[in-house]
Structure formats: structure tokens, C-alpha cells
């Protein structure tokens, strides 16, 4: 059974930073691309970033380029999202998904982690 458990969110001031983690189990993590998606209050799911299985290829939605960095540790079956220079519009529940969600978003299976950017 695929399990994805997100953590690391919280309340952060504009301009601040936070690092999200996603612990994966139940599948061969190192074989798959992984993605982060988010859902802001009252809005639909939005793709944020994807990393290839080996970590050598990373893509981002334009609104987070230069501020967010996706990474992974295949030895630990863990996906990360380093979020810097946060803006109020980054407020959302963040989910990790198995595979490449850049074209078609895979429905999240975890509970997500809330990131709130506010002063």
C-alpha cells in the first residue's frame, strides 16, 4: 500500500522559510518521479514542482521559480521542498504525489501539511 506522509508546515512570516518533508513507503521510491502539489483555500489543486527519479531533473511552476527547491533522498525514501522568500499567496495545504503531476495532477493520498504565510 502506497503511503505518503507530509510534514514540516506551519505559520511563517512573509519572507520566511520552511522545509517540507514527505516520507514514502509501500513502493519503490527511487524508481519514480515525485511531485509537490498544493491547494489554497477555496481553490483547486495546483502543481508546484516535480523531481525525476534520480533527482537530476527538476521543474517548477513559474510562481515559485527561484524561491522553492525540490530534492529527494532515495536512501531515506523521503522527498523535500525547501521554500524560501515565502509570500501570502503561498498559503495552502501542500501534498506530495507519486509520479509526475506537472501535466495531470495525481490525486493526493496523504493528509498534506498546512503552510500559512502571514504576519
Amino acid at each position: 500500500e502506497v503511503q505518503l506522509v507530509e510534514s514540516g508546515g506551519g505559520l511563517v512570516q512573509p519572507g520566511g522559510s520552511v522545509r517540507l518533508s514527505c516520507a514514502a513507503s509501500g513502493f519503490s521510491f527511487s524508481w519514480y518521479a515525485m511531485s509537490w502539489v498544493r491547494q489554497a483555500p477555496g481553490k483547486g489543486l495546483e502543481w508546484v514542482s516535480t523531481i525525476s527519479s534520480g533527482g537530476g531533473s527538476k521543474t517548477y511552476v513559474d510562481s515559485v521559480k527561484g524561491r522553492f527547491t525540490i530534492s529527494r533522498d532515495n536512501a531515506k525514501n523521503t522527498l523535500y521542498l525547501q521554500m524560501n522568500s515565502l509570500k501570502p499567496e503561498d498559503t495552502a495545504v501542500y501534498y506530495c504525489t507519486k509520479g509526475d503531476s506537472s501535466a495531470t495532477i495525481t490525486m493526493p493520498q496523504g493528509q498534506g501539511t498546512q503552510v500559512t504565510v502571514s504576519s
Side-chain angles (χ1 to χ4, degrees):
E1 178 187 1
V2 173
Q3 287 196 329
L4 299 168
V5 180
E6 302 92 345
S7 62
L11 175 63
V12 60
Q13 292 188 340
S17 298
V18 69
R19 187 195 197 200
L20 307 184
S21 299
C22 169
S25 62
F27 65 103
S28 298
F29 179 77
S30 64
W31 291 6
Y32 292 87
M34 293 293 294
S35 301
W36 286 98
V37 301
R38 65 186 178 184
Q39 187 165 28
K43 297 189 177 180
L45 288 168
E46 176 188 33
W47 169 75
V48 175
S49 182
T50 294
I51 187 169
S52 60
S53 59
S57 177
K58 304 175 184 181
T59 53
Y60 302 91
V61 68
D62 284 348
S63 60
V64 309
K65 283 180 181 176
R67 301 189 298 120
F68 290 10
T69 302
I70 191 170
S71 62
R72 65 191 296 161
D73 186 334
N74 284 344
K76 295 182 178 180
N77 287 355
T78 303
L79 177 72
Y80 303 100
L81 186 67
Q82 178 67 44
M83 306 166 64
N84 298 331
S85 302
L86 282 161
K87 304 176 180 180
E89 51 263 43
D90 295 318
T91 295
V93 178
Y94 286 74
Y95 302 90
C96 60
T97 63
K98 176 187 171 188
D100 185 349
S101 286
S102 60
T104 302
I105 293 177
T106 300
M107 288 305 295
Q109 295 175 276
Q111 82 288 350
T113 187
Q114 175 74 49
V115 174
T116 302
V117 184
S118 174
S119 55

